[in-house]
Amino acid sequence: MATADVENTAENAAENTAENTAENTAENTEHREAGARLSTAPREETALEVPSLGPVGWARWAWRQLTSMRVALILLFLLSLAAVPGSMIPQNSADPSVVEDFKRRHETLGPLYDKLQLFDVYSSVWFSAIYILLFVSLIGCILPRTWQFVGQLRGRPPRAPRRLTRMPAHTAWRTDTGPEEVLTAARSLLRGRRFRTAGPDASPAGGSVSAEKGYLREVGNLVFHVSLIVMLLAFAAGTQWRSEGGKLIVEGDGFANTLTQYDDFTSGALYDVGAMDSFGFTLKDFEASFERSGPQRGTPRDFRADVTYWEGADGKERKARIEVNHPLEVGDTQVYLIGHGYAPVVSVTDGQGELAYRGPVPFLPQDGNITSTGVIKVTDYRDKDGERDQLGFQGIFTPTYGIDAERGPHSTFPELDYPVLSLNAFHGDLGVDSGLPQNVYQLDTDNMEQFEDEDGDLFRADLRPGESVELPDGAGTLKFESVKEWASFQVSQEPGEGWALAGAVAAVLGLAGSLFVQRRRVWIRAERGEDGTTVVEMAALGRSESVRIPEELGDLALALQSGAPPSAAPPAAGDTEREPNAAGKTAAAPGAAEGAGPSSRGETE
């Protein structure tokens, strides 16, 4: 008998173990199905799958790796890292003269950087390769996710799991309202809260309603990735079809939008110079104001340029004001105000008493107080004997003159409080007849000789507006007549600028939606109990854990109880939950006073 009892006990234990294992497996599968397809994000593999040998297998494996989220993030990081040299090393697209100066000063690094295309980072082979791979990766990642998301929108929320008590948040109560009325009210409530619903699949004995919400999370995710593609396309268009030029204009002078009028000009490879917008403008007046006291003394407060502009060859002149960050827009072209300075008006008479030069000469600022340097070149000149010669002057203009032993002449304030023009004078060959281009703001004194005064010292003059000075040896007269202001403008066309801005805004909004919108599902089941009352169960499941899921379930439960109020009668004796809870114990269904609050512990409260 003892042997038979042991055999029966072992047989029963084996049967129970098999049944529990099958039941747990079914429950786990059901739980996974309840939370399936809450996201269309690609699943990351813990290890790379090595494909079978063959071109097709390797091609599929490479495509899967390229379109994975992991590789897309790596490429995005590499793109940002590759852009760093473009901000640290001079670029040919910005200023070729600075690049040439860098090569002269760095005889070893210059050729190396040139071979690595570090002077043309954004058009280099390696930058373009990263750019194109990222573009392909994003498209390959977005298309299947979009198709999968469309399938989710066309589908129905999944049916309610058999055991709602296993969900992260759940609640239950009893009511005298019939199951059909409870489910109808539940469906109406969920739709009023903008849930997508399925059901009720009701019967006289009961049924359930399934609902889902938070699709904006995946929409935001997709919008973010599409916005990255838009920004990449805008960047490519801006690189290939952009143009940018600079022009310094003295008050009273004008500008026409033709290539020969620019001081410097750069454009993309596909830009058509013949397609320039036809317009021009004249700088009528420039006004600048600065802080005069306090710790911010000398800080610019207001820069504005008053201009008259016209469109086309016969366009009517119109007035406009250009300010910092408020450009003049003509067609697809923007004219930005980017700089300001002073242009002393000087006149030079030669040794014969004839006027050899007269006009404003822009001096370039060297510090915040607009201490400026510049040169004056006089090519049409005759000395006292009538012989042809050339004069050159170089010096400093100070809007508010000051001098000390360390810095010498310098400006102490950026406005014209006490303007002084300090010059050295040279005569000889300026080099302008050699046919080689020259910088108008630099004086080549290799073939020139500096004037000396009667004492044999190098000639130097400090002039106030209206003052003049006689040059040594009867070489003529230099007069400082007045001061004009100049402004520098950047004239640019950025075809991808609007798309880049729209992409950036959409990316921020999409990222905010993907971070702050919670994808979640809610199930409501109503079934007739043995005592004749209706048992109402509610459960919620989110893609990730959040305190808002139980809170939202509690709000829904309270709202549903207005149409299905808890029963005042206690549950009948022996009437307990039909299913064990997550802890493997049987919990009694709650009474009227204690069933409304959701639980996240896996037990029915």
Side-chain angles (χ1 to χ4, degrees):
M1 289 295 295
T3 301
D5 291 340
V6 170
E7 291 178 354
N8 291 334
T9 301
E11 183 178 357
N12 292 334
E15 291 177 356
N16 292 334
T17 301
E19 291 176 358
N20 291 334
T21 301
E23 183 178 1
N24 291 334
T25 301
E27 290 174 355
N28 292 334
T29 301
E30 183 181 28
H31 190 87
R32 287 194 301 270
E33 291 176 352
R37 294 183 293 108
L38 273 176
S39 170
T40 59
R43 298 177 180 177
E44 292 291 341
E45 300 174 359
T46 56
L48 297 179
E49 294 182 358
V50 179
S52 59
L53 296 178
V56 176
W58 281 109
R60 289 178 177 176
W61 178 84
W63 176 253
R64 283 199 303 267
Q65 301 309 312
L66 180 60
T67 57
S68 67
M69 185 62 64
R70 177 179 57 251
V71 172
L73 292 175
I74 292 175
L75 290 172
L76 189 61
F77 173 75
L78 289 177
L79 187 68
S80 60
L81 192 64
V84 173
S87 61
M88 300 179 64
I89 300 174
Q91 298 295 297
N92 282 316
S93 59
D95 196 338
S97 62
V98 178
V99 174
E100 293 301 323
D101 182 65
F102 182 91
K103 291 180 180 179
R104 285 194 300 269
R105 291 185 291 106
H106 301 84
E107 297 180 356
T108 303
L109 287 179
L112 178 61
Y113 284 0
D114 205 5
K115 291 181 179 179
L116 296 176
Q117 298 181 305
L118 293 179
F119 296 121
D120 300 280
V121 168
Y122 304 112
S123 58
S124 63
V125 174
W126 47 272
F127 188 88
S128 300
I130 299 174
Y131 183 91
I132 294 173
L133 285 175
L134 177 60
F135 187 79
V136 173
S137 178
L138 288 174
I139 293 179
C141 181
I142 289 173
L143 289 179
R145 292 183 64 176
T146 303
W147 183 252
Q148 185 179 357
F149 182 62
V150 170
Q152 292 183 17
L153 293 178
R154 297 176 61 184
R156 291 161 51 93
R159 61 183 180 82
R162 184 174 54 160
R163 294 191 175 184
L164 294 180
T165 56
R166 289 185 174 271
M167 294 296 105
H170 63 276
T171 186
W173 72 91
R174 292 178 179 272
T175 180
D176 294 329
T177 307
E180 295 183 2
E181 291 83 354
V182 172
L183 295 176
T184 301
R187 185 169 185 266
S188 176
L189 171 64
L190 292 171
R191 286 193 169 184
R193 299 289 181 92
R194 298 189 298 277
F195 279 85
R196 290 180 66 240
T197 61
D201 48 354
S203 65
S208 63
V209 174
S210 302
E212 194 167 6
K213 189 177 182 181
Y215 291 94
L216 285 179
R217 182 186 184 94
E218 187 60 27
V219 171
N221 206 332
L222 294 174
V223 167
F224 173 74
H225 288 83
V226 171
S227 300
L228 290 181
I229 295 179
V230 172
M231 293 173 65
L232 290 175
L233 289 174
F235 176 78
T239 302
Q240 298 299 317
W241 282 279
R242 66 180 290 273
S243 71
E244 182 178 289
K247 180 65 176 178
L248 186 150
I249 304 175
V250 180
E251 287 177 322
D253 291 344
F255 166 80
N257 191 32
T258 59
L259 192 59
T260 57
Q261 288 277 297
Y262 285 95
D263 295 334
D264 58 82
F265 184 84
T266 59
S267 63
L270 301 179
Y271 181 76
D272 182 10
V273 177
M276 282 183 169
D277 291 322
S278 178
F279 73 95
F281 64 92
T282 300
L283 178 61
K284 292 296 185 180
D285 184 41
F286 184 88
E287 295 184 14
S289 61
F290 302 86
E291 187 69 35
R292 286 195 165 271
S293 61
Q296 294 186 342
R297 183 177 184 273
T299 302
R301 290 304 180 199
D302 186 26
F303 282 171
R304 59 181 183 271
D306 294 323
V307 302
T308 58
Y309 73 98
W310 60 91
E311 295 185 57
D314 302 321
K316 181 181 178 181
E317 288 192 355
R318 287 176 283 183
K319 294 182 179 180
R321 174 169 289 181
I322 306 176
E323 299 179 286
V324 178
N325 297 325
H326 292 84
L328 170 66
E329 296 188 10
V330 184
D332 296 328
T333 305
Q334 295 84 37
V335 181
Y336 294 90
L337 175 63
I338 60 174
H340 158 258
Y342 296 103
V345 180
V346 298
S347 61
V348 179
T349 57
D350 60 16
Q352 304 296 311
E354 300 291 336
L355 183 65
Y357 178 88
R358 185 181 186 278
V361 182
F363 275 51
L364 302 182
Q366 305 298 311
D367 57 28
N369 287 323
I370 315 187
T371 301
S372 307
T373 61
V375 300
I376 304 169
K377 299 180 182 181
V378 182
T379 58
D380 189 10
Y381 170 81
R382 292 179 183 272
D383 60 17
K384 63 180 180 179
D385 299 325
E387 298 293 333
R388 286 192 173 276
D389 201 358
Q390 294 177 340
L391 298 181
F393 303 87
Q394 66 180 10
I396 297 175
F397 174 76
T398 53
T400 303
Y401 182 78
I403 188 170
D404 57 37
E406 295 182 0
R407 293 181 292 174
H410 64 278
S411 178
T412 59
F413 193 73
E415 290 195 26
L416 296 172
D417 293 344
Y418 192 80
V420 173
L421 179 62
S422 303
L423 293 173
N424 298 324
F426 299 81
H427 68 95
D429 183 10
L430 291 170
V432 295
D433 299 326
S434 63
L436 299 177
Q438 276 193 351
N439 190 330
V440 296
Y441 302 107
Q442 294 180 357
L443 184 65
D444 184 3
T445 60
D446 292 342
N447 299 316
M448 304 190 78
E449 183 180 351
Q450 188 169 355
F451 282 105
E452 296 180 354
D453 58 22
E454 296 177 353
D455 299 329
D457 297 327
L458 296 178
F459 177 80
R460 179 184 176 84
D462 295 325
L463 303 175
R464 292 269 294 145
E467 296 180 348
S468 60
V469 62
E470 295 290 335
L471 298 177
D473 301 327
T477 304
L478 170 69
K479 184 177 181 180
F480 178 19
E481 296 187 0
S482 61
V483 181
K484 288 188 175 183
E485 296 187 77
W486 60 259
S488 59
F489 298 91
Q490 176 181 296
V491 183
S492 61
Q493 283 185 295
E494 300 286 348
E497 192 175 48
W499 286 102
L501 177 61
V505 173
V508 172
L509 294 177
L511 184 62
S514 64
L515 291 177
F516 297 109
V517 176
Q518 177 76 352
R519 184 83 175 270
R520 63 270 194 199
R521 289 170 178 166
V522 174
W523 295 277
I524 301 178
R525 176 180 288 135
E527 295 183 346
R528 184 79 66 182
E530 295 180 359
D531 60 348
T533 61
T534 301
V535 178
V536 182
E537 291 182 281
M538 297 180 64
L541 175 66
R543 178 184 175 185
S544 58
E545 293 186 7
S546 173
V547 296
R548 292 182 297 176
I549 298 298
E551 292 176 358
E552 184 176 37
L553 185 66
D555 293 339
L556 291 172
L558 291 176
L560 184 58
Q561 286 181 2
S562 62
S567 174
D575 188 8
T576 62
E577 293 280 353
R578 296 179 305 279
E579 305 285 354
N581 59 17
K585 300 178 181 179
T586 301
E594 51 182 5
S599 170
S600 58
R601 300 189 305 274
E603 299 179 0
T604 302
E605 295 183 358

